[in-house]
Amino acid sequence: GAVVSQHPSRVICKSGTSVKIECRSLDFQATTMFWYRQFPKQSLMLMATSNEGSKATYEQGVEKDKFLINHASLTLSTLTVTSAHPEDSSFYICSAREFSNTEAFFGQGTRLTVV
Amino acid sequence: DQQVKQNSPSLSVQEGRISILNCDYTNSMFDYFLWYKKYPAEGPTFLISISSIKDKNEDGRFTVFLNKSAKHLSLHIVPSQPGDSAVYFCAASARSGGSNYKLTFGKGTLLTVNP
């Protein structure tokens, strides 16, 4: 399958700081990227959908000013957690899709710990 | 309200036997279903999918069965191998709903295959 690379795999940050997570499609152009969050023993919860060159569409209950998503190119999307708090600690996963009728492939995930 | 339900949080089987993972859904608009496998601290890996126009799809040791009237699907793995031990997520989407079809995930089932 296609390769989606997510970086960093782990990050620890202090409360009040911002953290940027990158998601890259390595061998295809991702017209759409999705950002998920997973709490322990829970399902993957979709946070937002972004199309290249457009503003992201956020799911209900997700603060767009807190979770900034940028999809400036067909191979890169970033998620910035602004003014992070301990309750933002979670596993964040991106997925990328080339066309609307193709499978979405997932990155390796990022474990964010806010102390 | 959880639209995709995996009621068994865990399943344990012997190597060589069949593993059956179940998934139920409530949204009748879902017309495409997928199974993903996930190891700890990694992103999900696509396994197999099925469209609502089919009732069975097979790929090697993996077979997915769909019962639309019961809104139920299952993943069969036979023969099960220790390397199959992972969390399996069922996901569903409404592809006819537009190009930005989103995946809705269940909570996952932890499969343990014992040697």
Side-chain angles (χ1 to χ4, degrees), chain A residues 45-66:
Chain A
M45 301 300 298
L46 180 65
M47 298 174 67
T49 303
S50 74
N51 290 305
E52 185 266 339
S54 304
K55 286 186 179 180
T57 303
Y58 288 81
E59 294 299 300
Q60 194 172 15
V62 178
E63 299 175 61
K64 55 183 168 185
D65 293 332
K66 180 165 186 64

Side-chain angles (χ1 to χ4, degrees), chain A residues 43 51 97 100 102-103 107-108, chain B residues 32 34 43 99-102 106:
Chain A
S43 62
N51 290 305
R97 187 181 74 201
S100 62
T102 58
E103 305 303 339
Q108 307 95 314
Chain B
Y32 193 69
L34 309 91
S99 61
N100 264 354
Y101 72 88
K102 301 181 287 192

Side-chain angles (χ1 to χ4, degrees), chain B residues 21-41:
Chain B
L21 298 125
N22 293 303
C23 178
D24 297 290
Y25 62 97
T26 57
N27 189 340
S28 57
M29 297 300 291
F30 288 147
D31 56 9
Y32 193 69
F33 305 89
L34 309 91
W35 284 94
Y36 285 86
K37 177 180 178 180
K38 184 181 181 299
Y39 294 113

Side-chain angles (χ1 to χ4, degrees), chain A residues 12-20 65-66 80-89 112-115:
Chain A
I12 300 173
C13 71
K14 289 186 177 180
S15 190
T17 62
S18 295
V19 173
K20 181 184 283 189
D65 293 332
K66 180 165 186 64
T80 302
V81 183
T82 62
S83 186
H85 291 286
E87 57 264 31
D88 298 325
S89 299
L112 170 64
T113 304
V114 185
V115 297

